[in-house]
Amino acid sequence: WCSNSCYAADFRQHHYASSREIALRRDGMSCVKCGAKPGYYELETNHIEPRVGRGYLVGCWNHSANLETLCKPCHREITRAQVAARKASA
């Protein structure tokens, strides 16, 4: 990297906890599917392209562009659909 700030910016986009915070702020701290806000349901972040066993460690699958804010019920619904799609294509 050309500088410490360049390294830090790159790290934030590859580290799940940092990218999660970026996605939550970007999405206005509300579920992108139903609009739920904190307090009504717990907010979570969903990997749009599933990480499928790649874990939460540093990696490109953690880019904030691959994360979306969802409430817990919407996250469950989308995850079930993602699992079903993987099974159907296997």
Side-chain angles (χ1 to χ4, degrees):
W1 287 275
C2 61
S3 67
N4 285 341
S5 62
C6 181
Y7 168 77
D10 183 64
F11 182 79
R12 280 192 301 273
Q13 281 297 316
H14 290 85
H15 187 266
Y16 176 72
S18 298
S19 289
R20 179 183 187 276
E21 290 303 316
I22 292 167
L24 287 166
R25 280 186 302 229
R26 178 200 63 217
D27 296 339
M29 294 296 292
S30 62
C31 177
V32 298
K33 186 169 180 192
C34 74
K37 298 275 187 192
Y40 187 68
Y41 285 116
E42 180 181 344
L43 293 179
E44 302 177 343
T45 48
N46 177 56
H47 286 84
I48 298 165
E49 180 185 326
R51 56 189 173 79
V52 189
R54 293 180 284 190
Y56 290 98
L57 299 175
V58 175
C60 289
W61 55 89
N62 291 324
H63 282 211
S64 61
N66 189 45
L67 299 176
E68 62 185 349
T69 304
L70 298 171
C71 65
K72 196 170 204 122
C74 288
H75 193 190
R76 264 183 282 172
E77 179 183 327
I78 288 176
T79 298
R80 283 186 194 125
Q82 290 171 336
V83 169
R86 275 197 310 276
K87 287 181 180 178
S89 68

Coordinates of all heavy atoms in Angstrom, one line a residue:
W1 N 0.8 -1.2 0.0 CA 0.0 0.0 0.0 C 0.9 1.2 0.0 O 2.0 1.2 0.5 CB -0.9 0.0 1.2 CG -2.0 -1.0 1.1 CD1 -3.2 -0.8 0.5 CD2 -2.0 -2.3 1.6 NE1 -4.0 -2.0 0.6 CE2 -3.2 -2.9 1.3 CE3 -1.1 -3.1 2.3 CZ2 -3.6 -4.2 1.6 CZ3 -1.4 -4.4 2.6 CH2 -2.7 -4.9 2.3
C2 N 0.3 2.3 -0.5 CA 1.1 3.5 -0.7 C 1.2 4.3 0.7 O 2.0 5.1 0.8 CB 0.5 4.4 -1.8 SG -1.2 4.9 -1.5
S3 N 0.2 4.0 1.6 CA 0.3 4.7 2.9 C -0.6 3.9 3.9 O -1.3 3.0 3.5 CB -0.3 6.1 2.7 OG -1.7 6.0 2.4
N4 N -0.4 4.3 5.1 CA -1.2 3.7 6.2 C -2.7 4.0 6.0 O -3.6 3.1 6.2 CB -0.8 4.2 7.6 CG 0.5 3.6 8.0 OD1 0.9 2.6 7.5 ND2 1.2 4.3 8.9
S5 N -3.1 5.1 5.5 CA -4.5 5.4 5.3 C -5.1 4.6 4.1 O -6.2 4.2 4.2 CB -4.7 6.9 5.0 OG -4.1 7.4 3.9
C6 N -4.3 4.3 3.1 CA -4.7 3.5 2.0 C -4.9 2.0 2.5 O -5.9 1.4 2.2 CB -3.6 3.5 0.9 SG -4.0 2.5 -0.5
Y7 N -4.0 1.6 3.3 CA -4.1 0.2 3.9 C -5.4 0.2 4.8 O -6.2 -0.8 4.7 CB -2.9 -0.1 4.8 CG -3.1 -1.3 5.6 CD1 -3.0 -2.6 5.1 CD2 -3.4 -1.2 7.0 CE1 -3.3 -3.7 5.9 CE2 -3.6 -2.3 7.8 CZ -3.6 -3.6 7.2 OH -3.8 -4.7 8.0
A8 N -5.6 1.2 5.6 CA -6.8 1.2 6.5 C -8.1 1.2 5.7 O -9.0 0.5 6.0 CB -6.7 2.4 7.4
A9 N -8.1 1.9 4.6 CA -9.3 2.0 3.7 C -9.6 0.6 3.1 O -10.7 0.1 3.1 CB -9.2 3.0 2.7
D10 N -8.5 0.0 2.6 CA -8.7 -1.4 2.0 C -9.1 -2.4 3.1 O -10.0 -3.2 2.9 CB -7.3 -1.8 1.4 CG -7.4 -3.1 0.7 OD1 -8.2 -3.2 -0.3 OD2 -6.8 -4.1 1.2
F11 N -8.5 -2.3 4.3 CA -8.8 -3.3 5.3 C -10.3 -3.1 5.7 O -11.0 -4.1 5.9 CB -7.9 -3.0 6.6 CG -8.2 -4.0 7.7 CD1 -7.7 -5.2 7.7 CD2 -9.0 -3.6 8.8 CE1 -7.9 -6.1 8.7 CE2 -9.2 -4.4 9.8 CZ -8.7 -5.7 9.8
R12 N -10.8 -1.9 5.8 CA -12.2 -1.7 6.2 C -13.2 -2.4 5.2 O -14.2 -2.8 5.6 CB -12.5 -0.2 6.3 CG -12.1 0.4 7.6 CD -12.7 1.8 7.8 NE -12.3 2.7 6.7 CZ -11.2 3.5 6.6 NH1 -10.4 3.4 7.6 NH2 -11.0 4.3 5.6
Q13 N -12.8 -2.4 4.0 CA -13.7 -3.1 3.0 C -13.6 -4.6 3.0 O -14.4 -5.3 2.3 CB -13.4 -2.5 1.6 CG -14.0 -1.2 1.3 CD -15.5 -1.2 1.4 OE1 -16.2 -2.1 0.8 NE2 -16.1 -0.2 2.0
H14 N -12.6 -5.1 3.6 CA -12.4 -6.6 3.6 C -12.7 -7.2 5.0 O -12.8 -8.4 5.1 CB -11.0 -6.9 3.2 CG -10.7 -6.7 1.8 ND1 -10.4 -5.4 1.3 CD2 -10.8 -7.5 0.7 CE1 -10.3 -5.5 0.0 NE2 -10.5 -6.7 -0.4
H15 N -12.8 -6.4 6.0 CA -13.0 -6.9 7.4 C -14.5 -6.8 7.7 O -15.1 -5.7 7.5 CB -12.2 -6.0 8.4 CG -12.3 -6.5 9.7 ND1 -13.2 -6.0 10.7 CD2 -11.5 -7.5 10.4 CE1 -13.0 -6.7 11.8 NE2 -12.0 -7.5 11.7
Y16 N -15.2 -7.9 8.0 CA -16.6 -8.0 8.2 C -17.2 -6.9 9.1 O -18.1 -6.2 8.8 CB -17.1 -9.4 8.6 CG -18.5 -9.4 8.9 CD1 -19.4 -9.4 7.8 CD2 -19.1 -9.5 10.2 CE1 -20.8 -9.4 8.0 CE2 -20.4 -9.5 10.4 CZ -21.3 -9.5 9.3 OH -22.6 -9.5 9.5
A17 N -16.6 -6.8 10.3 CA -17.2 -5.8 11.3 C -17.1 -4.4 10.7 O -18.1 -3.6 10.9 CB -16.4 -5.9 12.6
S18 N -16.1 -4.0 10.1 CA -16.0 -2.7 9.5 C -17.0 -2.5 8.4 O -17.7 -1.5 8.3 CB -14.5 -2.4 9.0 OG -13.6 -2.5 10.1
S19 N -17.0 -3.4 7.4 CA -17.9 -3.3 6.3 C -19.4 -3.4 6.8 O -20.2 -2.7 6.2 CB -17.7 -4.5 5.3 OG -16.5 -4.3 4.6
R20 N -19.7 -4.1 7.8 CA -21.0 -4.2 8.4 C -21.4 -2.8 8.8 O -22.6 -2.3 8.5 CB -21.0 -5.2 9.5 CG -22.4 -5.3 10.2 CD -22.4 -6.2 11.4 NE -23.7 -6.5 11.9 CZ -24.3 -5.7 12.7 NH1 -23.7 -4.6 13.2 NH2 -25.6 -5.9 13.1
E21 N -20.6 -2.1 9.5 CA -20.9 -0.7 10.0 C -21.1 0.2 8.8 O -22.0 1.0 8.9 CB -19.8 -0.2 10.9 CG -19.8 -0.9 12.3 CD -21.1 -0.9 13.0 OE1 -21.7 0.2 13.1 OE2 -21.5 -1.9 13.6
I22 N -20.3 0.1 7.8 CA -20.4 0.9 6.6 C -21.8 0.7 6.0 O -22.5 1.6 5.6 CB -19.3 0.7 5.6 CG1 -18.0 1.1 6.2 CG2 -19.6 1.3 4.3 CD1 -16.7 0.6 5.4
A23 N -22.2 -0.6 5.8 CA -23.5 -1.0 5.2 C -24.6 -0.5 6.0 O -25.6 0.0 5.5 CB -23.5 -2.5 5.0
L24 N -24.6 -0.6 7.4 CA -25.7 -0.2 8.2 C -25.9 1.3 8.1 O -27.0 1.8 7.9 CB -25.4 -0.5 9.7 CG -25.5 -2.0 10.1 CD1 -24.9 -2.2 11.5 CD2 -27.0 -2.4 10.1
R25 N -24.8 2.1 8.1 CA -24.9 3.6 7.9 C -25.5 3.9 6.5 O -26.3 4.7 6.3 CB -23.6 4.2 8.1 CG -23.3 4.4 9.6 CD -22.1 5.2 9.8 NE -21.0 4.5 9.1 CZ -19.8 4.2 9.5 NH1 -19.5 4.6 10.7 NH2 -19.0 3.5 8.9
R26 N -24.9 3.2 5.5 CA -25.4 3.5 4.1 C -26.8 3.2 3.9 O -27.5 4.0 3.2 CB -24.6 2.5 3.2 CG -25.0 2.7 1.7 CD -24.6 1.5 0.9 NE -25.3 0.3 1.3 CZ -24.7 -0.9 1.4 NH1 -23.5 -1.1 1.0 NH2 -25.4 -2.0 1.8
D27 N -27.4 2.2 4.6 CA -28.8 1.8 4.5 C -29.7 2.5 5.4 O -30.8 2.2 5.6 CB -28.9 0.3 4.6 CG -28.2 -0.5 3.5 OD1 -28.0 0.1 2.4 OD2 -27.9 -1.7 3.7
G28 N -29.1 3.5 6.1 CA -29.9 4.4 7.0 C -30.4 3.7 8.2 O -31.5 4.0 8.8
M29 N -29.6 2.7 8.7 CA -30.0 1.9 9.9 C -31.4 1.4 9.8 O -32.2 1.4 10.8 CB -29.8 2.7 11.2 CG -28.4 3.1 11.4 SD -27.3 1.7 11.8 CE -28.0 1.1 13.3
S30 N -31.8 0.9 8.6 CA -33.1 0.3 8.4 C -33.1 -0.9 7.5 O -32.2 -0.9 6.6 CB -34.2 1.3 8.0 OG -33.8 1.8 6.8
C31 N -34.0 -1.8 7.6 CA -34.1 -3.0 6.7 C -34.4 -2.5 5.3 O -35.3 -1.7 5.0 CB -35.2 -3.9 7.2 SG -35.4 -5.4 6.1
V32 N -33.6 -2.9 4.3 CA -33.7 -2.5 2.9 C -35.0 -3.2 2.3 O -35.4 -2.7 1.3 CB -32.5 -2.7 2.1 CG1 -31.3 -1.9 2.6 CG2 -32.1 -4.2 2.0
K33 N -35.5 -4.2 2.9 CA -36.6 -5.0 2.4 C -37.9 -4.4 2.9 O -38.8 -4.2 2.1 CB -36.5 -6.4 2.6 CG -37.5 -7.3 2.0 CD -37.3 -8.7 2.0 CE -38.4 -9.5 1.3 NZ -38.4 -10.9 1.6
C34 N -38.0 -4.2 4.2 CA -39.3 -3.8 4.8 C -39.3 -2.5 5.5 O -40.3 -2.0 5.9 CB -39.9 -4.9 5.7 SG -39.0 -5.0 7.3
G35 N -38.1 -1.9 5.7 CA -38.0 -0.6 6.3 C -37.9 -0.6 7.8 O -37.9 0.5 8.4
A36 N -37.9 -1.8 8.4 CA -37.8 -1.8 9.9 C -36.6 -1.1 10.4 O -35.6 -1.1 9.8 CB -37.8 -3.3 10.4
K37 N -36.8 -0.4 11.5 CA -35.7 0.3 12.2 C -35.3 -0.4 13.5 O -36.0 -1.3 14.0 CB -36.2 1.7 12.6 CG -36.7 2.6 11.5 CD -35.5 3.3 10.9 CE -36.0 4.3 9.8 NZ -34.9 4.8 9.1
P38 N -34.1 -0.1 14.0 CA -33.6 -0.7 15.3 C -34.7 -0.5 16.4 O -35.4 0.5 16.4 CB -32.4 0.1 15.6 CG -31.9 0.7 14.4 CD -33.2 1.0 13.5
G39 N -34.8 -1.5 17.2 CA -35.8 -1.5 18.3 C -37.0 -2.3 17.9 O -37.6 -2.9 18.8
Y40 N -37.4 -2.2 16.7 CA -38.6 -3.0 16.3 C -38.1 -4.5 16.1 O -38.7 -5.4 16.6 CB -39.2 -2.5 15.0 CG -40.5 -3.1 14.6 CD1 -41.6 -3.0 15.4 CD2 -40.6 -3.9 13.5 CE1 -42.8 -3.6 15.0 CE2 -41.7 -4.5 13.1 CZ -42.9 -4.4 13.9 OH -44.0 -5.0 13.5
Y41 N -37.1 -4.6 15.3 CA -36.4 -5.9 15.1 C -34.9 -5.6 15.2 O -34.4 -4.5 14.8 CB -36.7 -6.5 13.7 CG -38.0 -7.1 13.6 CD1 -38.9 -6.6 12.7 CD2 -38.4 -8.2 14.4 CE1 -40.2 -7.2 12.6 CE2 -39.6 -8.8 14.2 CZ -40.5 -8.3 13.3 OH -41.8 -8.9 13.2
E42 N -34.1 -6.6 15.5 CA -32.7 -6.5 15.5 C -32.2 -6.4 14.0 O -32.7 -7.1 13.2 CB -32.0 -7.7 16.1 CG -30.5 -7.7 16.2 CD -30.0 -9.0 16.8 OE1 -30.7 -9.7 17.5 OE2 -28.8 -9.2 16.6
L43 N -31.3 -5.5 13.7 CA -30.8 -5.4 12.4 C -29.6 -6.2 12.2 O -28.8 -6.3 13.1 CB -30.5 -3.9 12.0 CG -31.7 -2.9 12.0 CD1 -31.2 -1.5 11.7 CD2 -32.7 -3.4 10.9
E44 N -29.5 -6.8 11.0 CA -28.4 -7.7 10.7 C -27.9 -7.3 9.3 O -28.6 -6.6 8.6 CB -28.9 -9.2 10.7 CG -29.4 -9.6 12.0 CD -29.9 -11.0 12.0 OE1 -30.2 -11.6 11.0 OE2 -30.1 -11.6 13.1
T45 N -26.8 -7.9 8.9 CA -26.3 -7.7 7.5 C -26.3 -9.0 6.8 O -25.9 -10.0 7.4 CB -24.9 -7.0 7.4 OG1 -24.0 -7.7 8.3 CG2 -25.0 -5.5 7.8
N46 N -26.7 -9.0 5.6 CA -26.8 -10.2 4.7 C -25.8 -10.1 3.6 O -25.6 -9.0 3.0 CB -28.2 -10.3 4.1 CG -28.3 -11.5 3.2 OD1 -28.0 -12.6 3.5 ND2 -28.7 -11.2 1.9
H47 N -25.1 -11.2 3.4 CA -24.2 -11.2 2.2 C -25.0 -11.5 1.0 O -25.7 -12.5 0.9 CB -23.1 -12.3 2.4 CG -22.1 -12.0 3.4 ND1 -22.2 -12.2 4.7 CD2 -20.8 -11.5 3.2 CE1 -21.1 -11.9 5.4 NE2 -20.2 -11.4 4.4
I48 N -25.1 -10.5 0.1 CA -25.9 -10.6 -1.1 C -25.5 -11.8 -1.9 O -26.3 -12.7 -2.3 CB -25.9 -9.3 -1.9 CG1 -26.5 -8.2 -1.1 CG2 -26.6 -9.5 -3.2 CD1 -26.2 -6.8 -1.6
E49 N -24.2 -11.9 -2.1 CA -23.6 -13.1 -2.7 C -23.1 -13.9 -1.5 O -22.2 -13.5 -0.8 CB -22.4 -12.8 -3.6 CG -21.8 -14.1 -4.2 CD -20.6 -13.8 -5.0 OE1 -20.5 -12.7 -5.7 OE2 -19.6 -14.6 -5.0
P50 N -23.8 -15.0 -1.2 CA -23.5 -15.8 0.1 C -22.0 -16.1 0.2 O -21.4 -16.4 -0.8 CB -24.4 -17.0 0.0 CG -25.5 -16.7 -1.0 CD -24.8 -15.7 -2.0
R51 N -21.6 -16.1 1.5 CA -20.2 -16.4 1.7 C -19.9 -17.9 1.7 O -18.8 -18.3 1.6 CB -19.7 -15.8 3.0 CG -20.5 -16.2 4.2 CD -20.1 -15.4 5.5 NE -21.1 -15.7 6.5 CZ -21.0 -16.8 7.2 NH1 -20.0 -17.7 7.1 NH2 -21.9 -17.0 8.2
V52 N -20.9 -18.7 1.8 CA -20.9 -20.2 1.7 C -19.6 -20.8 2.3 O -18.7 -21.3 1.6 CB -21.0 -20.6 0.2 CG1 -21.2 -22.2 0.2 CG2 -22.2 -20.0 -0.4
G53 N -19.5 -20.7 3.6 CA -18.4 -21.4 4.3 C -17.1 -20.6 4.4 O -16.1 -21.1 4.9
R54 N -17.1 -19.4 3.8 CA -15.8 -18.6 3.8 C -15.6 -17.9 5.1 O -14.6 -17.2 5.2 CB -15.8 -17.7 2.6 CG -15.8 -18.4 1.3 CD -15.8 -17.5 0.1 NE -17.1 -17.0 -0.1 CZ -17.5 -16.3 -1.1 NH1 -16.7 -16.0 -2.1 NH2 -18.7 -15.8 -1.2
G55 N -16.6 -18.0 6.0 CA -16.4 -17.3 7.3 C -16.5 -15.8 7.3 O -16.8 -15.2 6.3
Y56 N -16.2 -15.3 8.4 CA -16.3 -13.8 8.6 C -14.9 -13.2 8.6 O -14.8 -12.0 9.0 CB -17.0 -13.5 9.9 CG -18.5 -13.8 9.8 CD1 -19.0 -15.0 10.3 CD2 -19.4 -13.0 9.1 CE1 -20.3 -15.3 10.2 CE2 -20.7 -13.3 9.0 CZ -21.2 -14.4 9.5 OH -22.5 -14.7 9.4
L57 N -13.8 -13.9 8.3 CA -12.5 -13.4 8.3 C -12.4 -12.4 7.2 O -13.3 -12.1 6.4 CB -11.5 -14.5 8.2 CG -11.5 -15.5 9.4 CD1 -10.5 -16.6 9.2 CD2 -11.2 -14.8 10.7
V58 N -11.2 -11.8 7.1 CA -10.9 -10.8 6.0 C -11.0 -11.4 4.6 O -10.5 -12.5 4.4 CB -9.5 -10.2 6.2 CG1 -9.1 -9.3 5.1 CG2 -9.4 -9.5 7.6
G59 N -11.8 -10.8 3.7 CA -11.9 -11.3 2.4 C -12.8 -10.4 1.6 O -13.6 -9.6 2.1
C60 N -12.8 -10.6 0.2 CA -13.5 -9.7 -0.7 C -15.0 -9.9 -0.5 O -15.8 -9.0 -0.9 CB -13.1 -10.0 -2.1 SG -11.4 -9.4 -2.5
W61 N -15.5 -11.1 -0.1 CA -16.9 -11.3 0.1 C -17.5 -10.4 1.2 O -18.7 -10.2 1.3 CB -17.2 -12.8 0.5 CG -16.4 -13.2 1.7 CD1 -16.8 -13.2 3.0 CD2 -15.2 -13.8 1.6 NE1 -15.8 -13.7 3.8 CE2 -14.8 -14.1 3.0 CE3 -14.3 -14.2 0.6 CZ2 -13.6 -14.7 3.3 CZ3 -13.1 -14.8 1.0 CH2 -12.7 -15.0 2.3
N62 N -16.7 -9.7 2.0 CA -17.1 -8.8 3.0 C -17.2 -7.3 2.5 O -17.5 -6.4 3.3 CB -16.2 -8.8 4.2 CG -16.3 -10.2 4.9 OD1 -17.4 -10.7 5.0 ND2 -15.2 -10.7 5.5
H63 N -17.0 -7.0 1.3 CA -17.1 -5.6 0.8 C -18.5 -5.1 1.1 O -19.5 -5.9 1.0 CB -17.0 -5.6 -0.7 CG -15.5 -5.7 -1.2 ND1 -15.1 -5.0 -2.3 CD2 -14.5 -6.3 -0.7 CE1 -13.8 -5.3 -2.5 NE2 -13.4 -6.0 -1.5
S64 N -18.6 -3.9 1.5 CA -19.9 -3.3 1.9 C -20.9 -3.4 0.7 O -22.1 -3.5 0.9 CB -19.8 -1.9 2.4 OG -19.2 -1.0 1.4
A65 N -20.4 -3.4 -0.5 CA -21.3 -3.5 -1.7 C -21.9 -4.9 -1.8 O -23.0 -5.0 -2.4 CB -20.5 -3.3 -3.0
N66 N -21.4 -5.9 -1.1 CA -22.0 -7.2 -1.0 C -22.8 -7.4 0.2 O -23.3 -8.5 0.5 CB -20.9 -8.3 -1.1 CG -21.5 -9.7 -1.3 OD1 -22.4 -9.9 -2.1 ND2 -21.0 -10.6 -0.5
L67 N -23.0 -6.4 1.0 CA -23.8 -6.5 2.3 C -25.0 -5.6 2.1 O -25.0 -4.5 1.6 CB -23.0 -6.0 3.5 CG -21.7 -6.8 3.8 CD1 -21.0 -6.2 4.9 CD2 -22.0 -8.3 4.1
E68 N -26.1 -6.1 2.7 CA -27.3 -5.3 2.8 C -27.9 -5.4 4.2 O -27.8 -6.5 4.8 CB -28.4 -5.7 1.8 CG -28.8 -7.2 1.9 CD -29.8 -7.6 0.8 OE1 -30.2 -6.8 0.0 OE2 -30.0 -8.8 0.8
T69 N -28.5 -4.3 4.7 CA -29.1 -4.3 6.0 C -30.5 -4.9 6.0 O -31.3 -4.5 5.2 CB -29.2 -2.9 6.6 OG1 -27.9 -2.4 6.6 CG2 -29.7 -2.9 8.0
L70 N -30.7 -5.9 6.8 CA -32.0 -6.6 6.9 C -32.4 -6.7 8.4 O -31.6 -6.9 9.3 CB -32.0 -8.0 6.3 CG -31.7 -8.0 4.8 CD1 -31.4 -9.5 4.4 CD2 -32.8 -7.4 4.0
C71 N -33.7 -6.7 8.6 CA -34.2 -7.1 10.0 C -34.1 -8.6 10.1 O -33.9 -9.3 9.1 CB -35.6 -6.6 10.2 SG -36.9 -7.4 9.2
K72 N -34.2 -9.1 11.3 CA -34.0 -10.6 11.5 C -35.0 -11.4 10.7 O -34.6 -12.4 10.0 CB -34.1 -10.9 13.0 CG -33.5 -12.2 13.4 CD -33.4 -12.3 14.9 CE -32.4 -13.4 15.2 NZ -31.3 -12.9 16.0
P73 N -36.3 -11.1 10.7 CA -37.2 -11.9 9.9 C -36.9 -11.9 8.4 O -37.0 -12.9 7.7 CB -38.6 -11.3 10.2 CG -38.4 -10.6 11.5 CD -37.0 -10.1 11.5
C74 N -36.6 -10.7 7.8 CA -36.2 -10.6 6.4 C -35.0 -11.4 6.1 O -34.8 -12.0 5.1 CB -36.2 -9.2 6.0 SG -37.8 -8.3 5.9
H75 N -34.0 -11.3 7.0 CA -32.7 -12.0 6.8 C -33.0 -13.5 6.8 O -32.4 -14.2 5.9 CB -31.7 -11.6 7.9 CG -30.3 -12.1 7.7 ND1 -29.4 -12.0 8.6 CD2 -29.7 -12.5 6.6 CE1 -28.2 -12.4 8.1 NE2 -28.4 -12.8 6.9
R76 N -33.8 -14.0 7.7 CA -34.1 -15.4 7.7 C -34.8 -15.9 6.4 O -34.4 -16.9 5.8 CB -35.1 -15.8 8.8 CG -34.3 -16.3 10.1 CD -35.3 -16.7 11.1 NE -35.7 -15.4 11.7 CZ -36.6 -15.2 12.6 NH1 -37.3 -16.2 13.0 NH2 -36.8 -14.0 13.1
E77 N -35.7 -15.1 5.9 CA -36.4 -15.4 4.7 C -35.4 -15.4 3.5 O -35.5 -16.3 2.6 CB -37.5 -14.3 4.4 CG -38.3 -14.5 3.2 CD -39.3 -13.3 3.0 OE1 -39.8 -12.8 4.0 OE2 -39.5 -13.0 1.8
I78 N -34.6 -14.4 3.4 CA -33.6 -14.4 2.2 C -32.6 -15.5 2.3 O -32.3 -16.1 1.3 CB -32.9 -13.0 2.2 CG1 -34.0 -12.0 1.7 CG2 -31.7 -13.0 1.3 CD1 -33.5 -10.6 1.6
T79 N -32.1 -15.8 3.5 CA -31.2 -16.9 3.7 C -31.8 -18.2 3.3 O -31.2 -19.0 2.6 CB -30.7 -16.9 5.2 OG1 -30.0 -15.7 5.4 CG2 -29.7 -18.1 5.4
R80 N -33.1 -18.5 3.7 CA -33.8 -19.7 3.3 C -33.8 -19.8 1.8 O -33.6 -20.8 1.2 CB -35.2 -19.7 3.9 CG -35.2 -20.1 5.3 CD -36.6 -20.3 5.8 NE -36.6 -20.3 7.3 CZ -37.3 -19.5 8.1 NH1 -38.1 -18.6 7.6 NH2 -37.2 -19.6 9.4
A81 N -34.1 -18.7 1.1 CA -34.2 -18.6 -0.4 C -32.8 -18.9 -1.0 O -32.7 -19.6 -2.0 CB -34.8 -17.3 -0.8
Q82 N -31.8 -18.4 -0.4 CA -30.4 -18.6 -0.9 C -30.0 -20.1 -0.8 O -29.5 -20.6 -1.7 CB -29.4 -17.7 -0.2 CG -29.5 -16.2 -0.5 CD -28.6 -15.4 0.4 OE1 -28.3 -15.7 1.5 NE2 -28.3 -14.2 -0.1
V83 N -30.4 -20.7 0.4 CA -30.1 -22.1 0.6 C -30.8 -22.9 -0.4 O -30.3 -23.9 -1.0 CB -30.4 -22.5 2.1 CG1 -30.3 -24.0 2.2 CG2 -29.4 -21.8 3.0
A84 N -32.1 -22.6 -0.6 CA -33.0 -23.4 -1.5 C -32.4 -23.3 -3.0 O -32.4 -24.3 -3.7 CB -34.4 -22.9 -1.5
A85 N -31.9 -22.1 -3.3 CA -31.4 -21.9 -4.7 C -30.1 -22.7 -4.8 O -29.9 -23.3 -5.9 CB -31.1 -20.4 -4.9
R86 N -29.3 -22.8 -3.8 CA -28.0 -23.6 -3.9 C -28.4 -25.1 -4.0 O -27.7 -25.8 -4.8 CB -27.2 -23.3 -2.6 CG -26.3 -22.2 -2.7 CD -25.1 -22.2 -1.7 NE -25.5 -22.4 -0.3 CZ -26.0 -21.5 0.5 NH1 -26.1 -20.2 0.1 NH2 -26.3 -21.8 1.7
K87 N -29.3 -25.5 -3.2 CA -29.7 -26.9 -3.3 C -30.3 -27.3 -4.7 O -30.0 -28.3 -5.2 CB -30.7 -27.3 -2.2 CG -30.1 -27.3 -0.9 CD -31.2 -27.7 0.2 CE -30.5 -27.7 1.6 NZ -31.5 -28.0 2.6
A88 N -31.1 -26.4 -5.3 CA -31.7 -26.6 -6.6 C -30.7 -26.7 -7.7 O -30.9 -27.4 -8.7 CB -32.7 -25.5 -6.9
S89 N -29.6 -25.9 -7.5 CA -28.6 -25.9 -8.6 C -27.5 -27.0 -8.4 O -26.7 -27.1 -9.3 CB -27.9 -24.5 -8.7 OG -27.1 -24.3 -7.5
A90 N -27.5 -27.7 -7.3 CA -26.5 -28.7 -7.0 C -26.8 -30.0 -7.7 O -27.8 -30.3 -8.3 CB -26.4 -28.9 -5.5

